[in-house]
Amino acid sequence: MTSPPFPREGGGPGSQDTTLVAPVLLRAQENIWASRAAEMAAIFMVGDGLIGLLQPRRHVDLWKDDALGTEKLVKPFVDRPGRRRLYALVQIVAGLALAARQKR
């Protein structure tokens, strides 16, 4: 009989005693959510940057009217695809740098 891949609590075949988790491990587990949030931000930055780099006019046009306040954010890029492409490169580099800093 082979042992199960995960230890079981409460007796029975393959059961093991469980021990308390060290506080350091709990802090590491809590930090995983910060790492995940940073990773999601990095993915967004790289993806948005790629779209802005490849399709700057279409991307800005999508967000310039009736877009819940983003009109002010994209105003510097309206009819300026070169400026949007430059910003896109900055977004991509920053997103990749953020992802590279993640430990897990």
Side-chain angles (χ1 to χ4, degrees), residues 43-71:
I43 290 167
F44 173 80
M45 292 166 70
V46 170
D48 189 62
L50 282 173
I51 292 171
L53 183 67
L54 299 173
Q55 300 175 344
R57 289 185 191 274
R58 186 202 61 80
H59 191 53
V60 170
D61 286 346
L62 180 65
W63 296 101
K64 72 179 183 182
D65 297 318
D66 299 323
L68 301 174
T70 61
E71 302 87 356

Side-chain angles (χ1 to χ4, degrees), residues 2-77:
T2 62
S3 63
F6 301 103
R8 296 184 195 163
E9 295 182 59
S15 67
Q16 296 177 358
D17 289 333
T18 58
T19 57
L20 294 175
V21 177
V24 172
L25 295 176
L26 289 176
R27 281 194 298 275
Q29 189 174 6
E30 290 171 4
N31 289 338
I32 190 74
W33 289 105
S35 294
R36 287 176 180 165
E39 185 85 1
M40 288 173 30
I43 290 167
F44 173 80
M45 292 166 70
V46 170
D48 189 62
L50 282 173
I51 292 171
L53 183 67
L54 299 173
Q55 300 175 344
R57 289 185 191 274
R58 186 202 61 80
H59 191 53
V60 170
D61 286 346
L62 180 65
W63 296 101
K64 72 179 183 182
D65 297 318
D66 299 323
L68 301 174
T70 61
E71 302 87 356
K72 291 178 183 177
L73 294 173
V74 298
K75 190 175 181 178
F77 305 113

Side-chain angles (χ1 to χ4, degrees), residues 42 45-51 53 87-97:
M45 292 166 70
V46 170
D48 189 62
L50 282 173
I51 292 171
L53 183 67
Y87 180 70
L89 289 173
V90 171
Q91 273 186 299
I92 293 167
V93 169
L96 291 173

